[in-house]
Amino acid sequence: MASAKTTELVLPSLPEGWSAEKDFKVLDKISSTIQRTIEPVGPHFLAHARRARHKRTFSEDDRIQAQERAKKVEEDNDSDISEPEDLMMLQRDAKDWKSQDHYKVLGLSKYRYKATEEQIKRAHRKKVLKHHPDKKAAAGRSEDDNFFKCIQKATEVLLDPVKRRQFDSVDEAAEVEPPTKKQLAKGNYYKLWGSVFKAEARFSKNHPVPHLGDEKSTREEVENFYNFWYNFDSWRSFEYLDEDVPDDNENRDQKRHMERKNANSRKKKKAEDNARLRKLLDDCSAGDERIKKFRQEANAAKNKKRLEKEAAEKKAAEEAKAKKEAEEKAAKEAEEKAKTDREASKKAKEAAKNAVKKNKRVLRGSVKDANYFVSGDASAATIDAVLNDVDLVQAKIDADEIAALAGKLNGLKIADEIKGVWTEEVQRLVAAGKLKDGEVKALA
Amino acid sequence: MAEEGASKAGIVPSDRTAIGIMFSNSNSSIAYTVDDKAEVIANEDGDRQIPTILSYMDGDEYYGQQAKNFLVRNPKNTVAYFREFLGKDFKSIDPTHNHASAHPEEANGTVSFTITDKEGEDAAPSTLSVQEIATRYLRRLVTSASEYIGKKVTSAVITVPTNFNEKQKAALIAAAAGAELEVLQLVPEPVAALLAYDARPEVEVSDRMVVVADLGGTRSDVAVISTRSGMYTVLATTHDYEFTGTALDKVLMDHFAKEFMKRNAGIDPRQNPKSLAKLKLEAESTKKALSIGANASFSVESLAEGIDFASTLNRLRYETIARPVFAGINRLVESVVKKAGLDILDIDEVILSGGTAHTPRIAANMQSIFPRTTAILAPSTTPTAINPSELQARGAALQASLIQEYEAEDIDQSTHAAVTTVPHIANAIGVVLVSESAETFIPIVPGETAVPARRMVHVKTPKDGGDVLVKIVEANTHIKVTKPEPKAKTNGKASKSATVEDADETEDEDDSDLSDDEEEEDEEKRERMWKIGTTLAEAALRGVKKGSTVEVTINVNADLSMTMTTREVGAKGGVRVNVPAP
Ligand SMILES: Nc1ncnc2c1ncn2[C@@H]1O[C@H](COP(=O)(O)OP(=O)(O)O)[C@@H](O)[C@H]1O
Ligand SMILES: [Mg+2]
């Protein structure tokens, strides 16, 4: 076992960041031990004994102490299976073994279907020690072996798993009656019913069998319980109650008849038992407050959900409506804005046009105010030349520049000043390459 | 273990001739060790399984098979099945098996038998204590062994059931002393059987969990023994008096009795003691024959009312009618494994011991109970198996040869409870390995190992070598059960009535009421898994070469401190870690 032959299994690489002084860490100590007795047998033990003794001498006290420390392997205590024997039972006729309470005969009344196989064996042995007829005879008592036969029969049945189930199926003493209304009235609903199902659970083919639980059980637990039990898979059967079938070969017809009768009777009893369990469950669930509680909770939850859904729907509709309205409003506003924008821009254009016109008038006016830069009356040619240049300059500049130029000229009355402004503008335009040098003459 | 009896005998070791004795209820055996090899000795009748029976006829004493034959003709003066009564009160003995021979009684406060052991028609019967009977029987065994060895046998190791109490042991030692036999040591029967197997020269000492099923005539005893480096610790035992060789005899007796009745107008041979005795003897030999052959005959001259009877039985039929007994043995074995806190999957080896262990069906059943990896040591499953009837005597003889050179006082001190009571570690200690980064535990010292203990393993390193981590942890096992995919469990209609309605809008999802009643039992898969617990220590080994191996050694000391040393095989250095005692 302690070999690591598998090729793919390797020591892990040292994790990044692992470090320790001297490359090791002690993290814990050996956690748990049990004192046991090793057998003083074999060559390897001799070596151990040599080491362990160290030339010491042990006393009887040491022996007792050491034995007490060691975990016991043999338990010879039968106190768990002691039960008084009543006279009625001791006088039973072994021929009536079918009707005897096998558990009681062996002193296992308080265990019944819960008795382990080992308990049954120990119980049997205990009874044999006491009741074996040869022992009674040796002690000079009566050689009546009737009860001994009862013991043997009980053991035969209980140590055969098949026969034991057949007997357990009809062991009335193991039954727990359902609680009466009166009992339930005092409370303890879950405890009372719980023990009924705990007893019924002995017939289950499937394990573990869920318990009824208590008022604190969760809905899942409760559902699980009833689901399990309404689908209960039971091994309970009723052949133990069969009527004896004649063992001889002569009465074949009668034998067959009896067998058929028994088969029918088993079937009927099984059906009755299923119905009985169904009724137990119906009765138990009918009074189970947890089911009511969970149903109410479920209903409340359902209602809550419905209301929430409705509210959500309403809210959604309202939101949709609001959204639609907002969209419509926005569209309208956008349209109106576009319209006003359009109008505004038209106005602005007109205003600009007017401004240009006005400014152009200023420009023209300026040269007129400067008397066309001549003293005395200006000749038509001069006027024409100056105005030509004004037009030429005007054509080269945009509305803003016209406005700027007009701003500079506005209010000027002295011809030289006016001339200066114009000259400056012409020079600017020439410098900007918009006018050729010399193209403007009268205003240069 | 060797109580007063041994120390008083006080034989000088050099004067000893020591044998091993299986002294049992149905049969006994004697064995002698020569050159470390134990051999079971045949007595003067040629028997190696010598019936534990003593019989008197005309003042002559018979034992073994001869005495057994007298069960038919002279049951009253034949004492059988008495070993069990040694050291017991009359109150607590089970006389069931003595019904067809001398009956036990209470005399002088002890279990006794009244028999006529002297010659003559009117010889007065003697009332002999069970201890005296045992002495007389043991004397015959010793004589037989002495004759075979050619020297007077002085001493013996004797096997006893694990539930023999101190009083029973003392009574046995006293009985032996009466036969001038020094008891060197009383050894538990299953441990002797295990020792017989472990002493074979080809066996390597290993750590195993072993079940020894000793299936005898009147009892079946099963023990779980943790075997650690050749040291044995009994973890659990169980004792059964129902599913035994005698129960198998009874099955056959009933079978043939019924057949006889069918043929002979209802004459029941079980009603007459003599017929019953014949029926029983022949049933047993038919049973033994069925351990070897597929068919066996049953034939008794004048079985009842002078009618001869002959029949045959095949093994299959036998196995069918004896099934309740075999099933009981199966349950017994399973129960003791559970009692030891273990699972079937934890068992490495099953040793079948005792006469009934010859039965092939029982060995086959063990094969189906235990996983395929569990060795089932029985004649029909393992060709090299030792004869199950000889295991205990052989083990006793081996132990006798081991200790015969010691003074009685020395043996007593060495087998003292102060020496044998030892702490055992509960969890396994081992190293963590990885494969594709999944962690796996490799045990170095298994659980249930007595301390001090020292174990070593070699482990591989990553492909490219480098720095590696040696992580020492505790671990224990658990059983992982994988259920077969459950068939979608539809809640039957019935359940609806009590089911609290689901809060969600219930769409009736399961109206398709598929029949689900035939639940074929799919095999669930059970695996034994390691669960890693606390880390005890970590150490780094640096610069491990490509493809190299690392050695990890663990020493658990008597005070439960621990030392771990690890090194790269073939390289210098390494790391040593001391974990202090708890
Ligand atoms: N070859 C065999 N096959 C089956 N059963 C056997 C065989 N040999 C012996 N036995 C049975 O084994 C039982 C005796 O076993 P043994 O270990 O000697 O018993 P005990 O421990 O009771 O002294 C008897 O019931 C005997 O019939
Ligand atoms: Mg035995």
Side-chain angles (χ1 to χ4, degrees):
Chain A
M1 213 167 130
S3 70
K5 293 207 183 76
T6 340
T7 39
E8 63 269 26
L9 280 176
V10 295
L11 281 172
S13 292
L14 200 63
E16 207 133 312
W18 189 97
S19 80
E21 207 186 313
K22 290 181 185 156
D23 263 354
F24 72 81
K25 301 176 187 171
V26 173
L27 295 159
D28 217 324
K29 293 164 182 173
I30 289 177
S31 64
S32 96
T33 56
I34 311 160
Q35 293 278 344
R36 293 189 189 275
T37 306
I38 44 176
E39 296 300 329
V41 172
H44 299 272
F45 173 79
L46 285 182
H48 165 85
R50 222 170 289 133
R51 265 181 275 124
R53 276 180 66 193
H54 261 316
K55 301 202 174 76
R56 263 175 296 171
T57 306
F58 301 103
S59 69
E60 200 49 37
D61 281 350
D62 294 337
R63 187 192 305 277
I64 292 161
Q65 272 180 23
Q67 274 167 351
E68 272 168 5
R69 271 207 314 275
K71 189 175 157 95
K72 300 248 174 322
V73 173
E74 300 293 339
E75 80 277 315
D76 43 9
N77 183 5
D78 284 343
S79 60
D80 56 331
I81 43 176
S82 75
E83 245 172 51
E85 297 171 333
D86 67 59
L87 211 63
M88 284 273 281
M89 182 179 81
L90 291 175
Q91 288 168 349
R92 279 196 67 94
D93 189 346
K95 285 202 197 75
D96 283 345
W97 66 269
K98 268 232 149 172
S99 63
Q100 83 186 11
D101 178 345
H102 301 308
Y103 290 112
K104 193 174 170 202
V105 166
L106 292 186
L108 293 166
S109 300
K110 60 172 181 281
Y111 295 103
R112 306 216 156 262
Y113 61 93
K114 291 187 207 112
T116 65
E117 181 163 9
E118 194 176 340
Q119 276 175 322
I120 294 166
K121 286 177 181 175
R122 279 192 288 129
H124 173 226
R125 204 163 158 73
K126 210 173 162 183
K127 292 289 179 195
V128 169
L129 297 187
K130 192 166 172 195
H131 294 284
H132 198 285
D134 287 353
K135 261 177 126 172
K136 285 191 193 169
R141 279 179 286 155
S142 90
E143 221 173 309
D144 167 29
D145 63 349
N146 216 354
F147 186 60
F148 184 70
K149 281 184 183 152
C150 295
I151 292 167
Q152 298 302 79
K153 206 67 210 182
T155 308
E156 184 195 314
V157 170
L158 296 184
L159 280 186
D160 181 326
V162 174
K163 288 183 191 160
R164 186 176 177 192
R165 277 198 167 181
Q166 291 174 359
F167 176 70
D168 282 342
S169 286
V170 299
D171 182 6
E172 282 169 9
E175 233 139 73
V176 175
E177 289 295 318
T180 61
K181 282 216 177 80
K182 215 164 138 195
Q183 285 172 315
L184 287 171
K186 288 188 204 134
N188 276 338
Y189 191 89
Y190 301 106
K191 214 178 138 200
L192 289 167
W193 273 109
S195 56
V196 173
F197 288 104
K198 245 179 234 165
E200 292 294 326
R202 69 193 188 276
F203 300 123
S204 183
K205 280 188 193 166
N206 302 316
H207 290 276
V209 179
H211 294 311
L212 178 60
D214 56 26
E215 52 282 299
K216 287 192 214 67
S217 302
T218 64
R219 198 184 85 182
E220 201 189 344
E221 284 163 348
V222 174
E223 280 184 10
N224 187 28
F225 172 83
Y226 284 107
N227 267 339
F228 182 93
W229 280 93
Y230 270 111
N231 293 303
F232 194 68
D233 199 356
S234 159
W235 51 256
R236 191 174 199 184
S237 65
F238 294 91
E239 51 271 76
Y240 200 85
L241 304 177
D242 279 358
E243 281 178 59
D244 286 344
V245 176
D247 205 15
D248 50 43
N249 288 333
E250 274 118 71
N251 270 321
R252 286 236 174 134
D253 284 345
Q254 201 200 339
K255 190 176 167 184
R256 214 170 297 138
H257 170 74
M258 282 306 298
E259 279 170 354
R260 209 178 305 123
K261 203 174 143 194
N262 280 334
N264 284 336
S265 148
R266 284 181 205 174
K267 223 183 272 166
K268 192 167 152 244
K269 289 191 181 99
K270 180 76 182 169
E272 282 166 3
D273 188 53
N274 287 340
R276 180 191 63 86
L277 181 62
R278 174 65 52 93
K279 176 149 189 332
L280 283 182
L281 278 164
D282 289 348
D283 289 350
C284 179
S285 61
D288 194 335
E289 292 296 334
R290 299 171 306 180
I291 296 181
K292 283 179 207 142
K293 185 179 84 182
F294 294 139
R295 196 171 282 149
Q296 277 161 10
E297 281 172 8
N299 283 339
K302 214 194 265 179
N303 282 340
K304 194 172 155 218
K305 223 169 186 179
R306 204 195 65 227
L307 290 175
E308 272 171 9
K309 198 178 159 192
E310 280 171 10
E313 277 168 0
K314 197 174 156 198
K315 197 175 158 205
E318 275 166 4
E319 274 170 8
K321 195 177 156 205
K323 195 178 161 206
K324 200 174 157 211
E325 280 169 3
E327 275 167 7
E328 279 168 5
K329 196 176 157 205
K332 207 168 145 196
E333 277 169 7
E335 200 180 306
E336 271 163 17
K337 183 166 183 281
K339 200 172 148 198
T340 46
D341 281 356
R342 252 188 335 264
E343 278 164 10
S345 85
K346 200 171 148 195
K347 258 185 209 157
K349 258 186 217 157
E350 264 164 29
K353 229 189 242 168
N354 287 342
V356 169
K357 252 185 220 162
K358 197 177 142 207
N359 287 336
K360 280 184 180 171
R361 261 197 308 271
V362 172
L363 299 192
R364 279 175 183 269
S366 73
V367 287
K368 193 182 168 211
D369 286 350
N371 196 32
Y372 306 104
F373 310 118
V374 288
S375 39
D377 285 340
S379 66
T382 301
I383 294 167
D384 205 39
V386 171
L387 287 178
N388 260 344
D389 278 0
V390 169
D391 285 346
L392 188 60
V393 169
Q394 264 181 185
K396 296 296 175 186
I397 59 179
D398 64 17
D400 288 344
E401 284 164 321
I402 290 172
L405 188 56
K408 283 178 197 165
L409 292 170
N410 219 356
L412 291 188
K413 293 285 180 250
I414 299 158
D416 281 351
E417 284 176 5
I418 293 167
K419 178 77 189 267
V421 171
W422 277 109
T423 314
E424 197 187 333
E425 182 68 10
V426 169
Q427 277 165 1
R428 189 183 70 86
L429 290 173
V430 170
K434 288 186 180 168
L435 280 177
K436 284 184 198 124
D437 199 12
E439 198 176 345
V440 174
K441 290 172 190 95
L443 290 175
Chain B
M1 262 332 79
E3 272 77 39
E4 309 90 82
S7 20
K8 272 184 210 135
I11 296 174
V12 185
S14 57
D15 292 343
R16 277 190 191 125
T17 299
I19 59 168
I21 298 178
M22 169 186 92
F23 176 48
S24 199
N25 262 322
S26 320
N27 296 295
S28 296
S29 288
I30 41 185
Y32 187 56
T33 303
V34 184
D35 299 335
D36 294 336
K37 213 169 166 280
E39 291 278 7
V40 173
I41 301 168
N43 72 353
E44 54 279 17
D45 299 329
D47 293 328
R48 288 186 169 78
Q49 279 74 55
I50 306 163
T52 309
I53 305 178
L54 207 55
S55 186
Y56 291 89
M57 191 74 168
D58 304 329
D60 288 329
E61 183 185 82
Y62 299 86
Y63 84 113
Q65 190 57 47
Q66 294 191 34
K68 190 170 183 174
N69 294 337
F70 278 121
L71 282 173
V72 178
R73 275 196 294 137
N74 185 21
K76 281 206 164 58
N77 293 317
T78 303
V79 185
Y81 301 110
F82 58 86
R83 195 265 328 245
E84 210 75 352
F85 301 159
L86 278 169
K88 281 203 165 170
D89 307 334
F90 183 74
K91 214 171 72 231
S92 51
I93 63 160
D94 173 5
T96 301
H97 299 289
N98 308 80
H99 189 68
S101 57
H103 289 193
E105 60 194 51
E106 185 163 31
N108 310 318
T110 169
V111 179
S112 306
F113 296 88
T114 298
I115 51 171
T116 305
D117 59 344
K118 302 199 183 60
E119 201 179 353
E121 282 288 284
D122 47 353
S126 318
T127 295
L128 304 172
S129 70
V130 65
Q131 188 176 311
E132 172 61 18
I133 298 283
T135 295
R136 290 184 183 190
Y137 180 79
L138 287 171
R139 191 178 286 137
R140 299 301 299 263
L141 290 184
V142 169
T143 306
S144 218
S146 300
E147 272 167 24
Y148 176 89
I149 298 166
K151 271 193 284 184
K152 180 160 176 20
V153 168
T154 58
S155 318
V157 167
I158 305 180
T159 58
V160 291
T162 58
N163 63 347
F164 238 42
N165 63 30
E166 295 307 316
K167 253 180 95 183
Q168 290 172 289
K169 287 175 185 168
L172 174 54
I173 289 166
E180 284 155 68
L181 182 68
E182 175 199 31
V183 176
L184 293 174
Q185 192 185 349
L186 297 177
V187 167
E189 291 167 344
V191 179
L194 186 46
L195 182 62
Y197 267 110
D198 275 2
R200 292 175 302 172
E202 69 271 23
V203 170
E204 275 177 47
V205 177
S206 62
D207 294 334
R208 284 125 65 222
M209 199 56 87
V210 183
V211 165
V212 181
D214 176 11
L215 311 173
T218 57
R219 48 189 286 179
S220 290
D221 302 287
V222 193
V224 179
I225 305 179
S226 148
T227 303
R228 302 284 183 249
S229 284
M231 299 239 272
Y232 308 120
T233 305
V234 177
L235 299 182
T237 61
T238 188
H239 312 287
D240 161 271
Y241 305 86
E242 318 279 346
F243 303 116
T244 58
T246 315
L248 292 170
D249 294 342
K250 173 131 196 316
V251 168
L252 291 177
M253 286 161 72
D254 288 343
H255 171 81
F256 289 115
K258 279 181 192 153
E259 201 175 313
F260 184 84
M261 286 163 75
K262 238 186 250 169
R263 290 194 211 166
N264 299 291
I267 300 167
D268 189 346
R270 291 167 296 188
Q271 296 302 336
N272 169 298
K274 199 163 182 171
S275 301
L276 186 69
K278 285 182 179 176
L279 192 66
K280 183 166 166 55
L281 279 180
E282 186 64 6
E284 189 182 0
S285 65
T286 303
K287 177 185 75 174
K288 287 184 187 176
L290 283 169
S291 289
I292 303 163
N295 273 289
S297 62
F298 179 98
S299 140
V300 183
E301 252 175 62
S302 175
L303 177 55
E305 299 191 13
I307 306 166
D308 294 348
F309 179 68
S311 180
T312 59
L313 184 68
N314 69 38
R315 193 189 280 172
L316 214 63
R317 178 100 183 96
Y318 165 55
E319 289 175 353
T320 308
I321 58 178
R323 218 174 67 178
V325 181
F326 296 142
I329 291 171
N330 293 348
R331 293 196 302 275
L332 190 69
V333 170
E334 287 168 320
S335 76
V336 73
V337 171
K338 208 167 145 198
K339 204 166 167 183
L342 298 174
D343 187 88
I344 289 294
L345 299 180
D346 293 320
I347 306 300
D348 301 300
E349 189 173 299
V350 177
I351 292 176
L352 290 181
S353 164
T356 302
H358 287 276
T359 313
R361 181 78 260 159
I362 294 173
N365 287 348
M366 294 302 123
Q367 278 181 318
S368 53
I369 289 174
F370 289 94
R372 217 170 315 158
T373 47
T374 305
I376 310 292
L377 300 181
S380 61
T381 49
T382 306
T384 54
I386 301 172
N387 181 345
S389 297
E390 296 191 354
L391 284 169
Q392 295 172 18
R394 282 204 202 197
L398 288 163
Q399 180 66 8
S401 78
L402 278 176
I403 61 171
Q404 61 183 351
E405 68 200 63
Y406 295 93
E407 303 281 351
E409 175 60 20
D410 213 9
I411 297 172
D412 183 49
Q413 282 290 309
S414 293
T415 57
H416 196 284
V419 175
T420 59
T421 305
V422 173
H424 287 57
I425 57 167
N427 299 310
I429 298 171
V431 61
V432 174
L433 298 188
V434 291
S435 100
E436 288 158 9
S437 85
E439 287 197 334
T440 305
F441 173 80
I442 298 298
I444 300 175
V445 188
E448 300 296 3
T449 299
V451 299
R454 179 178 191 275
R455 298 287 190 284
M456 187 192 80
V457 289
H458 283 141
V459 291
K460 294 239 155 61
T461 53
K463 239 193 359 264
D464 301 323
D467 297 348
V468 294
L469 177 70
V470 179
K471 187 169 161 184
I472 302 300
V473 298
E474 288 191 326
N476 52 34
T477 56
H478 65 105
I479 303 299
K480 188 178 141 208
V481 181
T482 321
K483 290 233 159 87
E485 272 299 295
K487 299 203 196 91
K489 212 186 167 185
T490 48
N491 301 339
K493 283 240 173 81
S495 63
K496 275 283 166 68
S497 55
T499 308
V500 178
E501 293 280 311
D502 208 276
D504 287 324
E505 294 297 334
T506 36
E507 293 149 47
D508 273 5
E509 75 258 80
D510 51 12
D511 264 1
S512 52
D513 222 352
L514 292 170
S515 80
D516 55 355
D517 18 15
E518 43 174 5
E519 251 173 358
E520 46 187 28
E521 298 263 354
D522 285 313
E523 281 283 313
E524 55 182 26
K525 196 167 131 219
R526 304 180 77 254
E527 295 163 279
R528 188 171 179 255
M529 309 291 276
W530 285 106
K531 185 162 171 275
I532 296 177
T534 43
T535 304
L536 300 176
E538 286 180 349
L541 279 180
R542 306 241 177 219
V544 169
K545 282 198 291 296
K546 241 178 159 163
S548 70
T549 301
V550 166
E551 182 184 282
V552 185
T553 307
I554 287 191
N555 262 298
V556 184
N557 305 310
D559 64 352
L560 295 165
S561 63
M562 185 193 95
T563 310
M564 188 274 285
T565 50
T566 182
R567 61 182 192 95
E568 183 181 351
V569 174
K572 284 214 179 81
V575 185
R576 181 189 175 88
V577 188
N578 288 308
V579 175

